Short mmCIF file of all heavy atoms in Angstrom, two decimals:
data_model
loop_
_atom_site.label_atom_id
_atom_site.label_comp_id
_atom_site.label_asym_id
_atom_site.label_seq_id
_atom_site.Cartn_x
_atom_site.Cartn_y
_atom_site.Cartn_z
N SER B 25 -26.52 20.09 -6.95
CA SER B 25 -26.69 18.64 -7.01
C SER B 25 -27.16 18.15 -5.66
O SER B 25 -26.82 18.72 -4.64
CB SER B 25 -25.38 17.95 -7.45
OG SER B 25 -24.41 18.06 -6.47
N PRO B 26 -27.95 17.08 -5.61
CA PRO B 26 -28.62 16.71 -4.38
C PRO B 26 -27.75 15.97 -3.39
O PRO B 26 -27.77 14.74 -3.32
CB PRO B 26 -29.78 15.81 -4.89
CG PRO B 26 -29.33 15.25 -6.18
CD PRO B 26 -28.34 16.19 -6.76
N GLU B 27 -26.99 16.67 -2.58
CA GLU B 27 -26.27 16.08 -1.43
C GLU B 27 -27.27 15.85 -0.28
O GLU B 27 -28.49 15.98 -0.52
CB GLU B 27 -25.17 17.04 -0.92
CG GLU B 27 -24.09 17.36 -1.94
CD GLU B 27 -23.23 16.14 -2.26
OE1 GLU B 27 -22.96 15.37 -1.35
OE2 GLU B 27 -22.85 15.99 -3.44
N LEU B 28 -26.80 15.51 0.91
CA LEU B 28 -27.70 15.29 2.08
C LEU B 28 -28.75 16.39 2.20
O LEU B 28 -28.43 17.56 2.27
CB LEU B 28 -26.84 15.29 3.35
CG LEU B 28 -25.96 14.07 3.60
CD1 LEU B 28 -25.18 14.27 4.89
CD2 LEU B 28 -26.80 12.79 3.68
N GLY B 29 -30.01 16.00 2.23
CA GLY B 29 -31.11 16.97 2.34
C GLY B 29 -31.55 17.54 1.01
O GLY B 29 -32.53 18.27 0.91
N LEU B 30 -30.86 17.17 -0.05
CA LEU B 30 -31.15 17.60 -1.42
C LEU B 30 -31.23 19.12 -1.56
O LEU B 30 -31.91 19.67 -2.43
CB LEU B 30 -32.43 16.97 -1.95
CG LEU B 30 -32.56 15.44 -1.86
CD1 LEU B 30 -33.74 14.98 -2.75
CD2 LEU B 30 -31.31 14.77 -2.29
N ILE B 31 -30.55 19.90 -0.66
CA ILE B 31 -30.64 21.33 -0.60
C ILE B 31 -30.40 21.98 -1.95
O ILE B 31 -31.21 22.78 -2.42
CB ILE B 31 -29.61 21.89 0.42
CG1 ILE B 31 -29.82 21.26 1.80
CG2 ILE B 31 -29.72 23.41 0.50
CD1 ILE B 31 -31.18 21.38 2.37
N GLY B 32 -29.27 21.63 -2.59
CA GLY B 32 -28.92 22.27 -3.86
C GLY B 32 -29.97 21.99 -4.91
O GLY B 32 -30.36 22.92 -5.67
N ASN B 33 -30.52 20.79 -4.96
CA ASN B 33 -31.53 20.45 -5.97
C ASN B 33 -32.84 21.24 -5.73
O ASN B 33 -33.45 21.77 -6.65
CB ASN B 33 -31.78 18.95 -5.92
CG ASN B 33 -32.87 18.50 -6.91
OD1 ASN B 33 -34.01 18.43 -6.54
ND2 ASN B 33 -32.46 18.24 -8.14
N ILE B 34 -33.26 21.31 -4.47
CA ILE B 34 -34.51 22.04 -4.13
C ILE B 34 -34.35 23.51 -4.46
O ILE B 34 -35.24 24.12 -5.05
CB ILE B 34 -34.87 21.84 -2.64
CG1 ILE B 34 -35.15 20.35 -2.39
CG2 ILE B 34 -36.04 22.71 -2.24
CD1 ILE B 34 -35.34 20.01 -0.91
N LEU B 35 -33.23 24.08 -4.04
CA LEU B 35 -32.97 25.52 -4.31
C LEU B 35 -32.95 25.75 -5.81
O LEU B 35 -33.46 26.74 -6.31
CB LEU B 35 -31.64 25.94 -3.74
CG LEU B 35 -31.63 26.57 -2.36
CD1 LEU B 35 -30.20 26.94 -1.98
CD2 LEU B 35 -32.53 27.81 -2.30
N GLY B 36 -32.31 24.81 -6.55
CA GLY B 36 -32.21 24.98 -7.99
C GLY B 36 -33.59 25.07 -8.66
O GLY B 36 -33.82 25.97 -9.47
N TRP B 37 -34.49 24.13 -8.33
CA TRP B 37 -35.83 24.17 -8.90
C TRP B 37 -36.52 25.49 -8.55
O TRP B 37 -37.27 26.03 -9.40
CB TRP B 37 -36.68 22.98 -8.38
CG TRP B 37 -36.41 21.69 -9.08
CD1 TRP B 37 -35.41 20.81 -8.83
CD2 TRP B 37 -37.15 21.09 -10.18
NE1 TRP B 37 -35.49 19.73 -9.66
CE2 TRP B 37 -36.56 19.87 -10.51
CE3 TRP B 37 -38.27 21.53 -10.89
CZ2 TRP B 37 -37.04 19.05 -11.50
CZ3 TRP B 37 -38.74 20.70 -11.92
CH2 TRP B 37 -38.11 19.46 -12.22
N LEU B 38 -36.33 26.00 -7.34
CA LEU B 38 -36.93 27.32 -6.96
C LEU B 38 -36.38 28.45 -7.82
O LEU B 38 -37.13 29.28 -8.30
CB LEU B 38 -36.66 27.60 -5.48
CG LEU B 38 -37.22 28.94 -4.96
CD1 LEU B 38 -38.72 28.87 -4.85
CD2 LEU B 38 -36.58 29.35 -3.65
N LEU B 39 -35.03 28.44 -7.99
CA LEU B 39 -34.40 29.51 -8.78
C LEU B 39 -34.91 29.54 -10.22
O LEU B 39 -35.13 30.62 -10.78
CB LEU B 39 -32.87 29.32 -8.75
CG LEU B 39 -32.18 29.62 -7.43
CD1 LEU B 39 -30.74 29.17 -7.45
CD2 LEU B 39 -32.25 31.10 -7.11
N VAL B 40 -35.01 28.36 -10.82
CA VAL B 40 -35.50 28.28 -12.19
C VAL B 40 -36.85 28.98 -12.34
O VAL B 40 -37.10 29.77 -13.23
CB VAL B 40 -35.62 26.80 -12.67
CG1 VAL B 40 -36.37 26.70 -13.99
CG2 VAL B 40 -34.24 26.16 -12.78
N GLU B 41 -37.75 28.69 -11.34
CA GLU B 41 -39.08 29.27 -11.31
C GLU B 41 -39.02 30.77 -11.02
O GLU B 41 -39.56 31.58 -11.77
CB GLU B 41 -39.91 28.55 -10.25
CG GLU B 41 -41.41 28.68 -10.35
CD GLU B 41 -41.96 27.80 -11.47
OE1 GLU B 41 -41.20 26.92 -12.00
OE2 GLU B 41 -43.13 28.00 -11.84
N GLU B 42 -38.34 31.15 -9.94
CA GLU B 42 -38.37 32.53 -9.45
C GLU B 42 -37.62 33.49 -10.34
O GLU B 42 -37.99 34.65 -10.46
CB GLU B 42 -37.73 32.57 -8.03
CG GLU B 42 -38.63 32.02 -6.95
CD GLU B 42 -39.69 33.01 -6.56
OE1 GLU B 42 -39.37 34.19 -6.30
OE2 GLU B 42 -40.90 32.66 -6.59
N LEU B 43 -36.51 33.02 -10.93
CA LEU B 43 -35.71 33.93 -11.78
C LEU B 43 -36.01 33.74 -13.27
O LEU B 43 -35.33 34.31 -14.12
CB LEU B 43 -34.21 33.67 -11.51
CG LEU B 43 -33.70 33.91 -10.11
CD1 LEU B 43 -32.20 33.59 -10.05
CD2 LEU B 43 -33.99 35.34 -9.63
N ASN B 44 -37.05 32.93 -13.56
CA ASN B 44 -37.43 32.69 -14.96
C ASN B 44 -36.21 32.24 -15.80
O ASN B 44 -35.95 32.77 -16.88
CB ASN B 44 -37.97 33.99 -15.58
CG ASN B 44 -39.49 33.99 -15.54
OD1 ASN B 44 -40.13 32.98 -15.83
ND2 ASN B 44 -40.05 35.12 -15.10
N MET B 45 -35.44 31.32 -15.26
CA MET B 45 -34.22 30.88 -15.94
C MET B 45 -34.63 29.99 -17.16
O MET B 45 -35.61 29.28 -17.12
CB MET B 45 -33.37 30.06 -14.99
CG MET B 45 -32.96 30.83 -13.76
SD MET B 45 -31.76 29.92 -12.70
CE MET B 45 -30.21 30.58 -13.32
N LYS B 46 -33.86 30.10 -18.23
CA LYS B 46 -34.13 29.27 -19.40
C LYS B 46 -33.01 28.22 -19.54
O LYS B 46 -31.84 28.53 -19.24
CB LYS B 46 -34.33 30.08 -20.67
CG LYS B 46 -33.09 30.72 -21.21
CD LYS B 46 -33.24 31.13 -22.68
CE LYS B 46 -31.88 31.51 -23.25
NZ LYS B 46 -31.70 31.25 -24.66
N GLN B 47 -33.37 27.04 -20.00
CA GLN B 47 -32.38 25.99 -20.17
C GLN B 47 -31.44 26.30 -21.34
O GLN B 47 -31.88 26.60 -22.46
CB GLN B 47 -33.05 24.64 -20.40
CG GLN B 47 -32.01 23.49 -20.31
CD GLN B 47 -32.62 22.11 -20.52
OE1 GLN B 47 -33.78 21.89 -20.32
NE2 GLN B 47 -31.79 21.18 -20.92
N ILE B 48 -30.14 26.30 -21.08
CA ILE B 48 -29.15 26.62 -22.16
C ILE B 48 -28.30 25.39 -22.50
O ILE B 48 -27.46 25.48 -23.39
CB ILE B 48 -28.22 27.78 -21.75
CG1 ILE B 48 -27.47 27.42 -20.46
CG2 ILE B 48 -29.05 29.07 -21.57
CD1 ILE B 48 -26.32 28.35 -20.17
N GLY B 49 -28.53 24.26 -21.81
CA GLY B 49 -27.68 23.10 -22.16
C GLY B 49 -27.87 21.99 -21.15
O GLY B 49 -28.80 21.98 -20.36
N PHE B 50 -27.00 20.97 -21.25
CA PHE B 50 -27.06 19.85 -20.33
C PHE B 50 -25.72 19.22 -20.21
O PHE B 50 -24.84 19.41 -21.05
CB PHE B 50 -28.13 18.83 -20.77
CG PHE B 50 -27.94 18.31 -22.14
CD1 PHE B 50 -27.16 17.16 -22.39
CD2 PHE B 50 -28.53 18.94 -23.22
CE1 PHE B 50 -26.98 16.69 -23.66
CE2 PHE B 50 -28.35 18.45 -24.54
CZ PHE B 50 -27.57 17.33 -24.74
N VAL B 51 -25.55 18.43 -19.12
CA VAL B 51 -24.32 17.67 -18.91
C VAL B 51 -24.62 16.21 -19.23
O VAL B 51 -25.65 15.70 -18.77
CB VAL B 51 -23.78 17.78 -17.48
CG1 VAL B 51 -22.49 17.05 -17.32
CG2 VAL B 51 -23.62 19.27 -17.11
N ASP B 52 -23.74 15.52 -19.97
CA ASP B 52 -24.05 14.20 -20.46
C ASP B 52 -22.91 13.25 -20.04
O ASP B 52 -21.74 13.63 -20.04
CB ASP B 52 -24.11 14.24 -21.98
CG ASP B 52 -25.26 13.36 -22.46
OD1 ASP B 52 -25.99 12.82 -21.65
OD2 ASP B 52 -25.42 13.26 -23.68
N SER B 53 -23.27 12.02 -19.72
CA SER B 53 -22.26 11.03 -19.39
C SER B 53 -22.89 9.66 -19.46
O SER B 53 -24.02 9.45 -19.01
CB SER B 53 -21.69 11.23 -17.98
OG SER B 53 -20.96 10.10 -17.58
N LYS B 54 -22.16 8.69 -20.01
CA LYS B 54 -22.68 7.35 -20.07
C LYS B 54 -22.70 6.67 -18.69
O LYS B 54 -23.24 5.59 -18.52
CB LYS B 54 -21.96 6.47 -21.10
CG LYS B 54 -20.49 6.28 -20.84
CD LYS B 54 -19.88 5.45 -21.92
CE LYS B 54 -20.47 4.04 -21.97
NZ LYS B 54 -19.94 3.25 -23.04
N ASP B 55 -22.04 7.34 -17.69
CA ASP B 55 -22.03 6.78 -16.35
C ASP B 55 -23.14 7.29 -15.47
O ASP B 55 -23.21 6.95 -14.29
CB ASP B 55 -20.65 7.01 -15.71
CG ASP B 55 -19.56 6.29 -16.41
OD1 ASP B 55 -19.76 5.07 -16.70
OD2 ASP B 55 -18.52 6.83 -16.68
N PHE B 56 -24.02 8.16 -16.04
CA PHE B 56 -25.17 8.61 -15.28
C PHE B 56 -26.16 7.44 -15.14
O PHE B 56 -26.20 6.57 -16.02
CB PHE B 56 -25.87 9.76 -15.98
CG PHE B 56 -25.14 11.06 -15.92
CD1 PHE B 56 -25.59 12.18 -16.61
CD2 PHE B 56 -23.97 11.19 -15.14
CE1 PHE B 56 -24.92 13.41 -16.56
CE2 PHE B 56 -23.27 12.39 -15.11
CZ PHE B 56 -23.78 13.52 -15.80
N PRO B 57 -26.99 7.42 -14.07
CA PRO B 57 -28.03 6.40 -13.97
C PRO B 57 -29.04 6.59 -15.10
O PRO B 57 -29.26 7.75 -15.52
CB PRO B 57 -28.65 6.64 -12.63
CG PRO B 57 -28.34 8.02 -12.29
CD PRO B 57 -26.99 8.32 -12.93
N PRO B 58 -29.66 5.49 -15.63
CA PRO B 58 -30.68 5.62 -16.66
C PRO B 58 -31.89 6.32 -16.03
O PRO B 58 -32.54 5.75 -15.14
CB PRO B 58 -30.99 4.21 -17.07
CG PRO B 58 -30.44 3.31 -16.01
CD PRO B 58 -29.44 4.08 -15.22
N LEU B 59 -32.22 7.55 -16.44
CA LEU B 59 -33.20 8.32 -15.75
C LEU B 59 -33.69 9.46 -16.64
O LEU B 59 -32.86 10.22 -17.21
CB LEU B 59 -32.62 8.90 -14.47
CG LEU B 59 -33.52 9.63 -13.48
CD1 LEU B 59 -34.43 8.66 -12.73
CD2 LEU B 59 -32.68 10.42 -12.49
N ALA B 60 -35.01 9.63 -16.77
CA ALA B 60 -35.56 10.85 -17.34
C ALA B 60 -36.50 11.42 -16.28
O ALA B 60 -37.17 10.68 -15.56
CB ALA B 60 -36.32 10.57 -18.62
N VAL B 61 -36.52 12.75 -16.13
CA VAL B 61 -37.35 13.40 -15.12
C VAL B 61 -38.53 14.07 -15.82
O VAL B 61 -38.38 14.70 -16.85
CB VAL B 61 -36.52 14.47 -14.40
CG1 VAL B 61 -37.38 15.19 -13.35
CG2 VAL B 61 -35.29 13.85 -13.77
N LEU B 62 -39.76 13.85 -15.25
CA LEU B 62 -40.95 14.43 -15.88
C LEU B 62 -41.29 15.81 -15.23
O LEU B 62 -41.21 15.95 -14.01
CB LEU B 62 -42.15 13.51 -15.67
CG LEU B 62 -42.14 12.19 -16.44
CD1 LEU B 62 -43.39 11.39 -16.12
CD2 LEU B 62 -42.04 12.47 -17.93
N PHE B 63 -41.62 16.77 -16.08
CA PHE B 63 -42.13 18.06 -15.60
C PHE B 63 -43.31 18.41 -16.41
O PHE B 63 -43.20 18.66 -17.62
CB PHE B 63 -41.02 19.13 -15.71
CG PHE B 63 -41.40 20.47 -15.18
CD1 PHE B 63 -41.52 20.62 -13.78
CD2 PHE B 63 -41.71 21.51 -15.99
CE1 PHE B 63 -41.89 21.86 -13.25
CE2 PHE B 63 -42.08 22.74 -15.47
CZ PHE B 63 -42.19 22.92 -14.09
N ASN B 64 -44.49 18.42 -15.78
CA ASN B 64 -45.76 18.63 -16.49
C ASN B 64 -45.90 17.65 -17.67
O ASN B 64 -46.37 18.03 -18.75
CB ASN B 64 -45.90 20.06 -16.97
CG ASN B 64 -46.11 21.01 -15.79
OD1 ASN B 64 -46.67 20.62 -14.77
ND2 ASN B 64 -45.64 22.24 -15.94
N GLY B 65 -45.45 16.42 -17.46
CA GLY B 65 -45.65 15.39 -18.50
C GLY B 65 -44.58 15.35 -19.57
O GLY B 65 -44.59 14.46 -20.43
N VAL B 66 -43.66 16.31 -19.57
CA VAL B 66 -42.59 16.31 -20.56
C VAL B 66 -41.26 15.92 -19.90
O VAL B 66 -40.97 16.36 -18.79
CB VAL B 66 -42.45 17.69 -21.24
CG1 VAL B 66 -41.30 17.70 -22.21
CG2 VAL B 66 -43.74 18.05 -21.93
N THR B 67 -40.51 15.05 -20.55
CA THR B 67 -39.23 14.60 -19.98
C THR B 67 -38.17 15.67 -20.03
O THR B 67 -37.97 16.33 -21.03
CB THR B 67 -38.68 13.37 -20.74
OG1 THR B 67 -38.61 13.71 -22.12
CG2 THR B 67 -39.55 12.16 -20.56
N LEU B 68 -37.45 15.80 -18.94
CA LEU B 68 -36.30 16.70 -18.88
C LEU B 68 -35.05 15.84 -18.85
O LEU B 68 -35.07 14.74 -18.31
CB LEU B 68 -36.34 17.56 -17.60
CG LEU B 68 -37.59 18.43 -17.37
CD1 LEU B 68 -37.44 19.19 -16.07
CD2 LEU B 68 -37.72 19.42 -18.55
N HIS B 69 -33.93 16.39 -19.37
CA HIS B 69 -32.65 15.74 -19.20
C HIS B 69 -32.33 15.75 -17.69
O HIS B 69 -32.62 16.72 -17.04
CB HIS B 69 -31.55 16.51 -19.98
CG HIS B 69 -30.33 15.76 -20.15
ND1 HIS B 69 -29.39 15.64 -19.17
CD2 HIS B 69 -29.84 15.06 -21.19
CE1 HIS B 69 -28.40 14.91 -19.58
NE2 HIS B 69 -28.62 14.52 -20.81
N PRO B 70 -31.74 14.66 -17.13
CA PRO B 70 -31.55 14.65 -15.69
C PRO B 70 -30.51 15.61 -15.14
O PRO B 70 -30.44 15.84 -13.93
CB PRO B 70 -31.16 13.18 -15.40
CG PRO B 70 -30.69 12.65 -16.70
CD PRO B 70 -31.37 13.40 -17.76
N PHE B 71 -29.66 16.18 -15.98
CA PHE B 71 -28.67 17.16 -15.50
C PHE B 71 -28.66 18.36 -16.52
O PHE B 71 -28.07 18.30 -17.56
CB PHE B 71 -27.27 16.53 -15.49
CG PHE B 71 -26.27 17.32 -14.64
CD1 PHE B 71 -25.22 16.68 -14.00
CD2 PHE B 71 -26.36 18.69 -14.49
CE1 PHE B 71 -24.31 17.36 -13.23
CE2 PHE B 71 -25.41 19.40 -13.74
CZ PHE B 71 -24.40 18.73 -13.13
N ARG B 72 -29.36 19.44 -16.11
CA ARG B 72 -29.57 20.55 -17.00
C ARG B 72 -28.78 21.79 -16.58
O ARG B 72 -28.40 21.96 -15.44
CB ARG B 72 -31.08 20.93 -16.99
CG ARG B 72 -31.98 19.77 -17.43
CD ARG B 72 -33.41 20.04 -17.22
NE ARG B 72 -33.80 20.35 -15.83
CZ ARG B 72 -33.90 19.43 -14.84
NH1 ARG B 72 -33.61 18.16 -15.10
NH2 ARG B 72 -34.18 19.77 -13.64
N ILE B 73 -28.57 22.69 -17.55
CA ILE B 73 -27.89 23.94 -17.28
C ILE B 73 -28.87 25.07 -17.66
O ILE B 73 -29.45 25.09 -18.75
CB ILE B 73 -26.60 24.10 -18.13
CG1 ILE B 73 -25.73 22.88 -17.97
CG2 ILE B 73 -25.83 25.37 -17.71
CD1 ILE B 73 -24.52 22.85 -18.88
N TYR B 74 -29.12 25.97 -16.70
CA TYR B 74 -30.03 27.08 -16.85
C TYR B 74 -29.29 28.40 -16.78
O TYR B 74 -28.22 28.48 -16.15
CB TYR B 74 -31.12 27.08 -15.77
CG TYR B 74 -32.08 25.94 -15.82
CD1 TYR B 74 -31.88 24.79 -15.07
CD2 TYR B 74 -33.22 25.97 -16.62
CE1 TYR B 74 -32.79 23.74 -15.06
CE2 TYR B 74 -34.14 24.93 -16.66
CZ TYR B 74 -33.91 23.82 -15.87
OH TYR B 74 -34.80 22.77 -15.90
N SER B 75 -29.93 29.47 -17.30
CA SER B 75 -29.30 30.77 -17.22
C SER B 75 -30.37 31.87 -17.13
O SER B 75 -31.46 31.74 -17.72
CB SER B 75 -28.41 31.05 -18.46
OG SER B 75 -28.03 32.42 -18.48
N ALA B 76 -30.07 32.93 -16.37
CA ALA B 76 -30.89 34.13 -16.30
C ALA B 76 -29.96 35.27 -15.91
O ALA B 76 -29.17 35.14 -14.99
CB ALA B 76 -32.02 33.99 -15.29
N ASP B 77 -30.03 36.41 -16.64
CA ASP B 77 -29.10 37.51 -16.34
C ASP B 77 -27.69 36.96 -16.26
O ASP B 77 -27.20 36.29 -17.18
CB ASP B 77 -29.49 38.22 -15.05
CG ASP B 77 -30.93 38.71 -15.13
OD1 ASP B 77 -31.33 39.19 -16.15
OD2 ASP B 77 -31.63 38.57 -14.08
N ASN B 78 -27.01 37.25 -15.21
CA ASN B 78 -25.59 36.84 -15.10
C ASN B 78 -25.46 35.63 -14.18
O ASN B 78 -24.41 35.39 -13.59
CB ASN B 78 -24.71 38.02 -14.58
CG ASN B 78 -25.04 38.29 -13.14
OD1 ASN B 78 -26.17 38.08 -12.70
ND2 ASN B 78 -24.07 38.82 -12.44
N ILE B 79 -26.52 34.83 -14.06
CA ILE B 79 -26.48 33.64 -13.19
C ILE B 79 -26.63 32.38 -14.06
O ILE B 79 -27.52 32.31 -14.90
CB ILE B 79 -27.59 33.69 -12.15
CG1 ILE B 79 -27.38 34.91 -11.23
CG2 ILE B 79 -27.64 32.39 -11.34
CD1 ILE B 79 -28.54 35.18 -10.30
N VAL B 80 -25.74 31.41 -13.84
CA VAL B 80 -25.83 30.14 -14.54
C VAL B 80 -25.96 29.04 -13.50
O VAL B 80 -25.27 29.03 -12.51
CB VAL B 80 -24.55 29.86 -15.39
CG1 VAL B 80 -24.51 28.43 -15.87
CG2 VAL B 80 -24.54 30.82 -16.60
N LEU B 81 -26.93 28.14 -13.69
CA LEU B 81 -27.22 27.10 -12.73
C LEU B 81 -26.99 25.71 -13.29
O LEU B 81 -27.56 25.38 -14.33
CB LEU B 81 -28.68 27.22 -12.27
CG LEU B 81 -29.29 26.08 -11.42
CD1 LEU B 81 -28.61 25.96 -10.08
CD2 LEU B 81 -30.79 26.26 -11.31
#
Side-chain angles (χ1 to χ4, degrees):
Chain B
S25 68
E27 299 291 325
L28 287 178
L30 306 196
I31 305 303
N33 179 268
I34 296 173
L35 266 182
W37 280 83
L38 179 73
L39 288 170
V40 170
E41 198 77 11
E42 284 283 308
L43 300 179
N44 265 315
M45 304 185 93
K46 70 162 192 149
Q47 190 180 335
I48 59 166
F50 56 89
V51 182
D52 221 4
S53 167
K54 62 181 296 178
D55 293 315
F56 287 174
L59 187 74
V61 179
L62 290 180
F63 184 72
N64 290 331
V66 176
T67 53
L68 301 180
H69 194 282
F71 196 150
R72 302 170 301 285
I73 309 173
Y74 292 96
S75 168
D77 303 320
N78 69 332
I79 297 170
V80 168
L81 169 67

